[in-house]
C-alpha cells in the first residue's frame, strides 16, 4: 500500500510539473478576435494576457462606439482564451490522474 501511495505522489508531482509547463506554453498560444466589421482587432494569449489592439481610425472618432466595441470584442477573446486554457489544463490533469475505482469523474 505504501508503494502505491509513493507512486501516486510521484505521479501527482509529475502532473503538477506538466501543468506548469502547459501554462507557460499557453503564453505563446495567440488568439485573434475582431469586431464583426473588422474595425477593432484584439490579440490575446491563451492565458488571457492582451498582446495587441488595433483600432481603425473611424472608430477613434466615436468614443462611445469604441468603448462598446472594446467590451464586446475583449469579452469574446477572453471567452475563447478561457476555453483553450481550460481544455489544455484539463487534458494534462486527466492524463495524470491515477485510476481510483469510483473516481471516474475526470473521464
Amino acid at each position: 500500500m505504501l508503494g502505491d501511495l509513493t507512486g501516486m505522489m510521484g505521479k501527482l508531482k509529475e502532473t503538477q510539473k506538466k501543468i506548469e509547463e502547459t501554462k507557460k506554453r499557453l503564453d505563446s498560444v495567440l488568439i485573434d478576435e475582431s469586431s464583426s466589421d473588422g474595425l477593432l482587432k484584439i490579440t490575446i494569449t491563451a492565458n488571457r494576457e492582451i498582446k495587441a489592439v488595433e483600432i481603425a481610425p473611424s472608430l477613434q472618432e466615436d468614443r462611445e462606439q469604441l468603448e462598446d466595441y472594446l467590451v464586446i470584442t475583449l469579452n469574446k477573446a477572453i471567452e475563447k482564451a478561457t476555453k483553450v486554457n481550460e481544455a489544455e489544463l484539463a487534458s494534462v490533469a486527466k492524463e495524470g490522474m491515477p485510476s481510483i475505482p469510483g473516481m471516474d469523474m475526470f473521464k
Side-chain angles (χ1 to χ4, degrees), residues 1-104:
M1 181 70 188
L2 188 59
D4 289 349
L5 191 57
T6 305
M8 263 176 50
M9 293 307 285
K11 188 112 171 115
L12 287 173
K13 279 187 178 167
E14 189 180 310
T15 300
Q16 238 176 345
K17 186 178 177 218
K18 283 183 182 175
I19 287 172
E20 290 307 313
E21 289 168 358
T22 300
K23 283 181 182 177
K24 280 186 187 144
R25 187 175 54 77
L26 290 173
D27 276 335
S28 64
V29 174
L30 299 179
I31 294 157
D32 295 313
E33 185 62 54
S34 299
S35 58
S36 54
D37 55 12
L39 295 178
L40 176 70
K41 293 181 180 144
I42 306 244
T43 302
I44 187 171
T45 70
N47 280 328
R48 299 172 292 265
E49 181 182 336
I50 298 166
K51 288 296 188 179
V53 176
E54 289 179 42
I55 302 167
S58 61
L59 261 185
Q60 294 175 25
E61 295 161 17
D62 185 343
R63 183 177 166 183
E64 200 171 297
Q65 184 182 13
L66 174 57
E67 289 170 353
D68 290 344
Y69 271 51
L70 280 168
V71 169
I72 291 166
T73 309
L74 279 167
N75 281 329
K76 284 198 298 188
I78 290 168
E79 185 179 333
K80 276 186 183 176
T82 299
K83 284 180 182 171
V84 169
N85 186 295
E86 288 174 354
E88 289 286 324
L89 292 176
S91 169
V92 171
K94 181 181 159 195
E95 185 182 296
M97 288 307 255
S99 58
I100 301 169
M103 294 289 288
D104 49 11

